[in-house]
């Protein structure tokens, strides 16, 4: 990010809480051609653990070098923003973060804000400040550096209460485009960053300048030499609030809830009497996932099950009044009039009917729908049912994120009869989705 410093001025005034905007629906789309193994670059599988779920945000966001105090976030509920970028770590992170703690993350999330985790580590060998620690020009060394950066970023995210399924964005500042060894080092670093995040069950994001970095990433979008990140966040200070029409980056690349743009650089804005120096961003992309504390409201012990239905075995039980940590919500058989099930941080499920979420009959903000994004491995379209005999919808471009929430059996395609139901209710053959297996079901995705 471009800021050497940030200034925050505390002034009196707090506004009421506004409701988080709902992310847009996934574009419909099924099978066009056979794909290579899901384990190969550029689409590498994300190994989501049991308690994982992804979250995405569509709307305006801001980022600032130092995370603002909670009181400032409360005041900024009067603003058009409902997401904030936070620098969670990295060797070139320049600002102190006295506010950025696990309690701060929990409190900001409870106010229905989404968080955009940023990791600012090694910088290109032909860019950034001369004093910055650099990515190696040697591809093998750069890959090791990218792997180490991802592992550190995950550790930092978890320490702040961000769970698996969260996206983390590696901040790569602008660099010289004509230096071949520099470009190769950066691409190898980003590829290894992506693969390690996927191995650890996180979503890979990259921040780059549109003209001095992002083009090179786009140029290798389909290359089998590099793992492709799941989301791209560009810097382009043209005041154009759009996630399409980016120069040198076709709209079919990172097309479905996979883009963000920083379209206005450092400037002051004031809401609720609090002034912060910010960059302005437009997001339609994955962000952090957190667990929200709620209480068990049943009068008897509440069973936590291995899946979102009473047909799944009970793994444990919670006494009335016990606090449970809810990651996301998913549909299932109705209990007491509620068809909603809550996924807990340990990967078990409880019926929402007996949890103190805002609604016990429907879905509750700010909890997201339980989803597991995987890149498609080729151009593919979604169908209205789990089989090739069902009509196809619009085509998902190669590398699109399929936001999967359950799997079921259907007609055989390639090596599998598994079909993924996506967030919009359509189906895509699992053969074309880069999850753990293209022959059988992939945990932790539940069965439909």
């Amino acid at each position: 990010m471009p800021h050497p410093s940030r200034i925050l001025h505390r002034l009196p005034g707090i506004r009421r809480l506004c409701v988080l905007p709902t992310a847009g629906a996934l574009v419909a789309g099924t099978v066009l051609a056979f794909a290579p193994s899901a384990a190969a670059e550029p689409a590498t599988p994300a190994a989501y653990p049991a308690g994982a779920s992804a979250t995405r945000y569509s709307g305006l966001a801001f980022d600032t070098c130092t995370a603002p105090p909670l009181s400032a976030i409360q005041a900024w509920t009067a603003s058009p923003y409902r997401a904030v970028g936070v620098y969670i770590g990295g060797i070139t992170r320049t600002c102190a973060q006295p506010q950025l703690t696990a309690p701060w993350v929990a409190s900001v999330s409870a106010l229905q804000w989404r968080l955009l985790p940023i990791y600012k580590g090694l910088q290109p060998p032909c860019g950034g400040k001369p004093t910055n620690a650099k990515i190696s020009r040697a591809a093998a060394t750069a890959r090791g550096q990218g792997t180490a950066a991802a592992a550190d970023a995950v550790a930092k995210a978890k320490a702040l209460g961000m769970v698996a399924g969260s996206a983390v964005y590696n901040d790569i500042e602008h660099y010289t485009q004509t230096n071949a060894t520099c470009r190769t080092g950066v691409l190898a670093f980003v590829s290894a960053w992506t693969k390690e995040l996927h191995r650890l069950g996180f979503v890979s994001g990259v921040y780059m300048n549109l003209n001095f970095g992002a083009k090179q990433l786009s140029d290798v979008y389909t290359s089998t030499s590099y793992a492709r990140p799941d989301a791209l966040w560009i810097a382009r200070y043209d005041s154009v609030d759009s996630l399409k029409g980016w120069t040198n980056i076709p709209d079919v690349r990172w097309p479905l809830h996979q883009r963000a743009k920083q379209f206005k650089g450092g400037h002051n804005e004031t809401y609720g009497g609090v002034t912060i120096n910010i960059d302005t961003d437009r997001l339609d992309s994955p962000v952090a996932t957190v667990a929200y504390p709620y209480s068990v409201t049943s009068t008897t012990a509440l069973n936590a099950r291995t899946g979102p239905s009473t047909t799944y075995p009970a793994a444990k039980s919670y006494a009335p009044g016990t606090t449970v940590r809810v990651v996301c919500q998913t549909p299932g058989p109705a209990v007491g009039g509620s068809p909603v099930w809550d996924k807990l941080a340990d990967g078990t499920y409880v019926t929402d009917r007996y949890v103190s979420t805002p609604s016990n009959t429907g879905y509750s903000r700010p909890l997201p729908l339980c989803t597991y994004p995987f890149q498609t491995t080729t151009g593919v379209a979604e169908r209205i049912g789990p089989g090739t005999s069902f009509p196809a919808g619009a085509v998902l471009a190669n590398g699109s994120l399929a936001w999967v929430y359950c799997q079921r059996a259907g007609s055989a395609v390639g090596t599998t009869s598994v079909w993924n139901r996506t967030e919009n209710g359509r189906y895509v053959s699992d053969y074309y989705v880069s999850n753990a297996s293209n022959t059988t079901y992939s945990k932790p995705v539940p069965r439909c």
Side-chain angles (χ1 to χ4, degrees), residues 13-101:
I14 292 178
R15 295 290 186 267
R16 64 182 174 82
L17 182 67
C18 294
V19 177
L20 178 72
T22 302
L26 194 66
V27 174
T30 173
V31 178
L32 298 182
F34 283 94
S37 168
E41 284 88 333
T44 57
Y48 299 119
S53 182
T55 303
R56 72 169 188 257
Y57 170 76
S58 180
L60 287 174
F62 75 89
D63 61 276
T64 185
C65 197
T66 298
L70 180 61
S71 58
I73 297 294
Q74 291 170 325
W76 272 48
T77 58
S79 77
Y81 306 107
R82 286 300 174 272
V84 54
V86 290
Y87 288 84
I88 65 171
I91 195 171
T92 56
R93 183 179 70 168
T94 56
C95 295
Q97 300 292 345
Q99 306 296 328
L100 191 54
T101 63

Side-chain angles (χ1 to χ4, degrees), residues 328-332 338-342 352 357-370 405:
C328 59
Q329 296 184 311
T330 193
S338 175
V340 178
W341 285 73
D342 298 332
D352 188 59
T357 54
S359 172
N360 63 6
T361 58
Y363 295 93
S364 297
R365 293 175 178 174
L367 291 166
L369 182 70
C370 299
Y405 77 82

Side-chain angles (χ1 to χ4, degrees), residues 260-332:
K261 181 181 181 182
Q262 189 181 79
F263 62 88
K264 189 174 182 180
H267 64 285
N268 288 344
E269 292 191 24
T270 303
Y271 298 98
V274 174
T275 299
I276 311 177
N277 187 259
I278 67 168
D279 289 333
T280 302
D281 308 278
R282 167 66 64 180
L283 273 60
D284 184 12
S285 59
V287 291
T289 298
V290 300
Y292 298 85
Y294 294 103
S295 299
V296 173
T297 62
S298 57
T299 57
T300 59
L302 178 64
N303 286 328
R305 300 182 179 275
T306 59
S309 169
T310 55
T311 61
Y312 286 93
K316 60 178 66 175
S317 63
Y318 292 95
T322 302
T323 297
V324 292
R325 298 174 64 238
V326 181
V327 169
C328 59
Q329 296 184 311
T330 193

Side-chain angles (χ1 to χ4, degrees), residues 136-160:
S136 175
R137 294 175 183 269
T141 303
R143 285 192 290 270
Q145 292 172 328
T147 300
D152 185 51
V154 166
K156 296 289 195 302
K158 286 183 174 180
L160 291 170

Side-chain angles (χ1 to χ4, degrees), residues 190-206:
V190 170
S191 176
W193 159 269
T194 296
K195 292 178 75 171
E196 183 67 3
L197 282 181
H198 283 177
R199 189 185 73 82
L200 296 172
F202 280 67
V203 177
S204 169
V206 176

Side-chain angles (χ1 to χ4, degrees), residues 85-181:
V86 290
Y87 288 84
I88 65 171
I91 195 171
T92 56
R93 183 179 70 168
T94 56
C95 295
Q97 300 292 345
Q99 306 296 328
L100 191 54
T101 63
W104 183 91
V105 167
S107 296
V108 170
S109 299
L111 292 173
Q112 302 197 33
W113 284 72
R114 300 303 191 195
L115 298 174
L116 184 70
I118 307 162
Y119 185 87
K120 191 174 182 183
L122 299 175
Q123 294 300 307
C126 55
K129 297 178 180 179
T131 55
N132 286 158
K134 302 295 186 180
I135 296 169
S136 175
R137 294 175 183 269
T141 303
R143 285 192 290 270
Q145 292 172 328
T147 300
D152 185 51
V154 166
K156 296 289 195 302
K158 286 183 174 180
L160 291 170
M162 300 173 185
V163 305
S166 295
V168 184
Y169 291 78
N170 197 308
D171 181 347
I172 304 290
E173 295 294 336
H174 63 276
Y175 60 96
T176 303
Q177 306 300 286
T178 56
N179 188 307
T181 58

